[in-house]
Amino acid sequence: MTMPDEMSLPRAASTGAGRWPFDNSYGRLPERFYARLEPTAVSAPRLVKLNRPLALQLGLDPEVLALPESVEILAGKRIAEGSEPIALAYAGHQFGNFVPQLGDGRAVLLGEVVDTGGTRRDIQLKGSGPTPFSRRGDGRAALGPVLREYLISEAMHALGIPTTRSLAAVTTGDLVYRETALPGAVLTRVASSHIRVGTFQFFAARGDVEALRLLADHVIARHYPEASGYRDLYEQVIARQAALIARWLLVGFIHGVMNTDNVSIAGETIDYGPCAFMDAYNPETVFSSIDHQGRYAYGRQPQIGGWNMARLGEAMMPLFSDDQDEALRQANESLQTYQPLFGRELMAGLRRKLGLFTEQEDDSELAQDFLNILNDHGTDFTQAFRRLGEGTARGLFEEPAAFDAWATRWRTRTAAEPQDEATRRAAMQAANPIYIPRNHRVEAALSAAIEDGDYGPFEELQAVLVKPFEERPEFATYAEPPDASQSAYRTFCGT
Ligand code: AMP
Ligand code: MG
């Protein structure tokens, strides 16, 4: 697939802003993996946020990235030398229904760079205009969701959770039309790749086993070089997914739209649309306005992760065996690894959060009972664990009887360990963030930026979130949950 080439964009000169160290591997795969295209020109690109530390890590000079010519590249108005823009083909199950063709409808992969740590990373523009995969969409993104993805993806990274990163946010000077006219923007997203469960499904649905094999080989070379074969690859993807979802639960993250096209094969959190962090602990929490059934509620994420891995197994079956029954048997056998791995990761994380250094059989009950108390009392999840470590959690409960009874058990359990209080406290502070991107804070930062052009609150919130474990008195209010008037929160798909 190719775009009509009536619009040809200026190519950057071989010096200065145009010189990005691209080394593109996905574009060497057959043409049916993507569509070549050039991003659409935008009117008046303006850089509103640049991630300088990430730029340096990618081997890019932040000063050069801020130059007007580079900003045009980050808005898709100009093409850097060595960039071979492509929109990736993929399919996916959306809310359980299979859609055989989705693809990058509003994103282009500019190319790949090998970062200073030797890792190959995709540089992608999101919101850069229509592609052959846009269907009825306009290919654009509004400033709000772009800033939201920037804040939350970088917060996830700071929390130590595998994620795509945000390199830059640029406003386009054009309006995008949703329910109202909104300022348009482009996010530069950095990922270890943009290959999804849905990418495998795209070829499986077409019976294209040759493409499946090429894709799997590419994924092994790029993300799982130690994998001994396709079965092993599948199990390693499962292991990373199980670990990822456990990490989400441990910080109260709700992805919101865990469709198989939004599941990265590399095990990174990807596609920050209606995602949000839970305040009061309740496993049924859903923020997304389109998730009517609560399919992607906080507490359903582990199960959905397994469902998504089952869909990956189905797609990979032709790689396991020519005999369908045998392939199915192998896929099922591998899939059985998901649940125990998830359970182990979650329990290890809960032990860290509770300051337990050793393992005992009834730790899981101890953790679950604490969560039940938070659920019963509508207690803030993040604050409860943080203040447990500080010895002030009791103050969170109006009626502390249940907490007191539980705390006695917890103290008995911890007292049996050799570590002293200071050690436990430090370990708990390192496991339990004090600052998360709370919805009311994110909304306030976005509306100041969008409605008043005031990026102060956005910058301050970003500064808070890049060090989520380090208490800073000047930011004390950022640790607080919303008051009642701020808590009926809804999120919308990042369009
Ligand atoms: P998402 O739910 O954001 O992961 O997107 C699902 C599919 O819709 C993907 O194929 C996207 O590329 C596509 N899509 C989302 N928003 C737009 C848009 N504004 N224009 C074109 N395609 C879009
Ligand atoms: Mg998506």
Side-chain angles (χ1 to χ4, degrees):
M1 271 173 273
T2 44
M3 284 285 275
D5 59 3
E6 59 252 17
M7 58 256 176
S8 199
L9 293 171
R11 301 238 157 215
S14 60
T15 55
R19 202 164 47 204
W20 291 51
F22 284 119
D23 174 25
N24 307 327
S25 65
Y26 206 80
R28 292 197 287 270
L29 288 165
E31 296 279 331
R32 60 194 191 280
F33 280 66
Y34 47 77
R36 294 196 183 279
L37 80 169
E38 305 207 331
T40 321
V42 299
S43 326
R46 190 169 76 84
L47 185 65
V48 294
K49 183 68 189 171
L50 179 64
N51 190 336
R52 289 167 188 273
L54 179 58
L56 291 171
Q57 202 185 323
L58 292 169
L60 298 167
D61 180 345
E63 303 311 318
V64 173
L65 275 181
L67 296 173
E69 204 183 321
S70 299
V71 175
E72 290 190 347
I73 291 170
L74 297 173
K77 197 177 180 180
R78 175 182 294 275
I79 294 170
E81 200 199 352
S83 170
E84 299 163 298
I86 53 178
L88 273 53
Y90 53 85
H93 275 90
Q94 298 189 306
F95 291 91
N97 304 306
F98 186 63
V99 183
Q101 182 169 310
L102 290 164
D104 288 334
R106 53 165 173 163
V108 287
L109 177 62
L110 295 184
E112 300 155 26
V113 302
V114 177
D115 72 15
T116 52
T119 305
R120 177 177 295 276
R121 312 252 233 148
D122 275 6
I123 312 283
Q124 192 208 56
L125 301 183
K126 185 171 174 183
S128 52
T131 79
F133 303 110
S134 296
R135 295 170 293 160
R136 288 169 302 282
D138 60 1
R140 296 292 176 192
L143 178 58
V146 163
L147 294 179
R148 209 162 174 283
E149 172 156 354
Y150 191 107
L151 276 175
I152 300 183
S153 64
E154 288 304 303
M156 291 289 271
H157 173 71
L159 287 164
I161 300 175
T163 177
T164 62
R165 305 287 309 274
S166 296
L167 177 63
V170 170
T171 50
T172 59
D174 298 320
L175 291 173
V176 298
Y177 299 91
R178 299 294 180 256
E179 262 140 42
T180 55
L182 299 166
V186 178
L187 180 79
T188 307
R189 177 160 75 176
V190 177
S192 64
S193 86
H194 285 84
I195 302 166
R196 303 145 191 269
V197 167
T199 317
F200 280 85
Q201 291 181 294
F202 180 85
F203 296 112
R206 284 157 181 76
D208 189 345
V209 180
E210 186 200 67
L212 274 180
R213 190 163 288 122
L214 288 169
L215 180 63
D217 290 343
H218 178 90
V219 167
I220 291 174
R222 190 160 172 185
H223 300 302
Y224 299 92
E226 67 291 353
S228 62
Y230 300 130
R231 254 306 274 294
D232 193 32
L233 168 62
Y234 178 43
E235 292 189 10
Q236 292 197 30
V237 174
I238 288 174
R240 280 198 207 172
Q241 196 60 214
L244 179 69
I245 293 173
R247 303 295 298 272
W248 290 355
L249 293 207
L250 293 165
V251 297
F253 178 76
I254 304 167
H255 183 282
V257 60
M258 291 172 69
N259 294 335
T260 57
D261 54 303
N262 292 338
V263 179
S264 156
I265 283 291
E268 291 180 337
T269 313
I270 189 171
D271 274 8
Y272 291 86
C275 64
F277 280 71
M278 175 174 68
D279 294 302
Y281 179 78
N282 179 347
E284 285 163 31
T285 307
V286 176
F287 291 111
S288 170
S289 61
I290 58 168
D291 190 0
H292 308 294
Q293 316 286 323
R295 178 181 171 90
Y296 299 138
Y298 171 82
R300 291 206 55 181
Q301 296 181 116
Q303 191 190 332
I304 292 291
W307 193 88
N308 289 340
M309 290 300 99
R311 303 290 79 75
L312 176 63
E314 252 164 31
M316 291 181 74
M317 270 172 46
L319 303 178
F320 300 157
S321 170
D322 291 335
D323 181 292
Q324 279 212 18
D325 291 338
E326 172 57 17
L328 182 62
R329 191 197 62 75
Q330 293 191 23
N332 269 323
E333 191 179 291
S334 294
L335 185 61
Q336 301 313 310
T337 61
Y338 175 83
Q339 190 55 43
L341 272 174
F342 168 77
R344 222 174 304 148
E345 292 287 342
L346 183 69
M347 203 50 234
L350 285 169
R351 282 200 181 89
R352 285 193 301 274
K353 288 179 83 68
L354 291 172
L356 305 180
F357 294 94
T358 55
E359 292 183 19
Q360 280 186 20
E361 192 113 354
D362 47 6
D363 288 345
S364 146
E365 203 182 313
L366 186 72
Q368 191 55 56
D369 288 345
F370 185 57
L371 294 173
N372 290 345
I373 292 168
L374 305 189
N375 196 7
D376 292 344
H377 293 76
T379 314
D380 186 82
F381 176 74
T382 305
Q383 270 195 327
F385 279 98
R386 181 76 183 192
R387 290 181 52 173
L388 187 66
E390 292 167 350
T392 61
R394 188 174 198 268
L396 294 170
F397 299 90
E398 259 172 51
E399 291 173 36
F403 172 77
D404 286 342
W406 179 87
T408 305
R409 283 164 61 201
W410 178 65
R411 267 186 230 102
T412 309
R413 168 71 178 83
T414 54
E417 297 190 332
Q419 285 78 10
D420 61 26
E421 272 318 295
T423 307
R424 169 160 299 107
R425 193 186 174 113
M428 288 180 77
Q429 305 297 65
N432 294 309
I434 179 165
Y435 309 115
I436 54 161
R438 292 188 184 271
N439 303 315
H440 64 297
R441 287 290 181 173
V442 172
E443 286 311 299
L446 299 196
S447 53
I450 296 160
E451 281 150 37
D452 312 326
D454 174 10
Y455 281 79
F458 174 86
E459 290 293 342
E460 184 167 285
L461 181 55
Q462 230 260 307
V464 170
L465 296 175
V466 293
K467 290 179 185 164
F469 298 100
E470 186 184 306
E471 184 169 4
R472 283 160 289 164
E474 70 273 30
F475 296 139
T477 59
Y478 283 91
E480 282 164 22
D483 60 39
S485 69
Q486 298 164 311
S487 57
Y489 189 71
R490 276 269 154 279
T491 59
F492 301 91
C493 241
T495 46

